[in-house]
Amino acid sequence: MKLCRYGKPGYEKPGMIDGEGKLRDLSKIVDNIGPNEISPRGLKMLTRLKPESLPLVNGTPRYGVPYVGIGKFVAIGLNYSDHAKEAGLPIPAEPIVFMKATTCISGPNDDVIQPKNSSKLDWEVELGVVIGTTARYVDEASALNHVAGYCIVNDVSERSFQMATTQWDKGKGFDTAGPVGPWLVTTDEISDPQTLDMKLEANEKTMQSGNTRTMVFDVAKLISHVSQYMTLLPGDVIATGTPPGVGLGMKPPLFLKPGDVMRLTIAGLGEQKQRVVAYSA
């Protein structure tokens, strides 16, 4: 099941994608897509629906963040061994956990605004894991039972900000640094999150091409690890790291500038496309 929200910012309606990839309106069934709707009970109710029975949405409306209620935006660094290598850093002995500010979250096709004083704007295609059931001190064997579904995340990064201190949040949490969506795809469609091809293009040139099977720490391990010291609540999202091919790893490094366009895909999760624009007051 593919859930989404569509419409103008602040006025998004709930939607569902049918078997032909067409957008259907869910607003007569639920008011929104949020923690209640992505809970096991909520998803069970929604799975009873036949998407083809819902009203078809005409045109090409904007997709927003696919659900509301993201209380925590947890991210994992250097979780692909070849990405760690291109960054000149050792493969982590345990997951590197940092937080992206929830104010950085934006729709999958909204503009990415280059922040003031930015000189090293970069891209990172990542698998997002959406929590549907509270996870606290869970073991790896049961960790995936706490997942509502998956989505694409672009962990947009400003490398000069990021490397200014040992804490990465500064370079990862600026406004529009977290495009999420277009869909939340439930676990009935993504039974194994460790088999997904992923790709990012910048200006129609492939920069990143990888597969989630090469994660250092798989999704179950990440959920279990984070839950040992941080309660994960319904709606929380974990960005699980990026494969090689970021701009920082190029020789010479290549960074984004206004006018550049990123296109991100992960198998079964749809597509994002963002244009970089300069900050303006």
Side-chain angles (χ1 to χ4, degrees):
M1 182 168 53
K2 298 179 177 73
L3 301 173
C4 62
R5 295 168 65 247
Y6 69 95
K8 295 180 180 179
Y11 299 93
E12 292 95 341
K13 295 181 178 181
M16 180 182 288
I17 306 300
D18 68 19
E20 296 182 352
K22 296 178 180 178
L23 174 60
R24 301 281 177 162
D25 180 63
L26 258 180
S27 60
K28 296 291 180 62
I29 307 298
V30 294
D31 292 332
N32 215 331
I33 305 295
N36 289 333
E37 289 72 27
I38 66 174
S39 69
R41 181 178 180 180
L43 290 177
K44 185 176 181 180
M45 182 274 289
L46 291 173
T47 57
R48 297 193 186 106
L49 299 173
K50 294 183 178 180
E52 291 74 16
S53 69
L54 299 170
L56 185 66
V57 178
N58 295 316
T60 55
R62 166 190 173 271
Y63 281 100
V65 180
Y67 67 100
V68 298
I70 301 178
K72 290 192 290 298
F73 195 167
V74 184
I76 309 298
L78 304 178
N79 196 34
Y80 288 72
S81 57
D82 31 15
H83 173 52
K85 182 178 179 180
E86 73 175 351
L89 296 168
I91 297 172
E94 70 168 65
I96 295 173
V97 180
F98 61 95
M99 307 295 284
K100 288 177 73 77
T102 54
T103 49
C104 84
I105 297 169
S106 58
N109 303 316
D110 294 343
D111 290 342
V112 168
I113 302 171
Q114 185 171 22
K116 294 171 68 174
N117 304 312
S118 163
S119 61
K120 297 181 178 180
L121 192 65
D122 207 346
W123 56 79
E124 291 190 8
V125 59
E126 306 202 4
L127 173 67
V129 179
V130 179
I131 301 298
T133 304
T134 298
R136 182 185 299 113
Y137 297 115
V138 301
D139 57 23
E140 289 183 47
S142 63
L144 295 184
N145 296 335
H146 298 265
V147 177
Y150 303 94
C151 59
I152 303 174
V153 171
N154 189 353
D155 179 18
V156 185
S157 306
E158 212 303 329
R159 302 302 186 188
S160 60
F161 295 179
Q162 179 186 354
M163 302 304 178
T165 71
T166 59
Q167 305 301 307
W168 293 357
D169 302 54
K170 177 181 175 181
K172 299 281 194 170
F174 55 89
D175 292 354
T176 72
V180 175
W183 312 320
L184 187 162
V185 182
T186 51
T187 56
D188 59 310
E189 293 198 19
I190 306 293
S191 58
D192 184 358
Q194 304 306 150
T195 61
L196 305 178
D197 289 331
M198 50 204 310
K199 184 170 75 169
L200 182 144
E201 298 174 357
N203 299 324
E204 301 185 346
K205 180 179 180 181
T206 298
M207 298 298 183
Q208 292 184 278
S209 181
N211 188 286
T212 56
R213 74 171 67 92
T214 65
M215 286 182 183
V216 177
F217 305 104
D218 65 18
V219 171
K221 173 66 177 179
L222 294 175
I223 294 170
S224 176
H225 176 81
V226 174
S227 77
Q228 301 306 307
Y229 55 90
M230 183 190 307
T231 298
L232 294 168
L233 299 174
D236 289 349
V237 62
I238 303 174
T240 56
T242 197
V246 299
L248 181 66
M250 303 288 176
K251 299 187 184 302
L254 178 66
F255 297 114
L256 295 163
K257 61 186 184 302
D260 289 344
V261 175
M262 294 173 281
R263 178 176 176 267
L264 297 75
T265 56
I266 297 181
L269 301 184
E271 175 184 307
Q272 295 186 356
K273 189 174 183 180
Q274 301 110 23
R275 179 177 297 275
V276 179
V277 300
Y279 173 84
S280 61

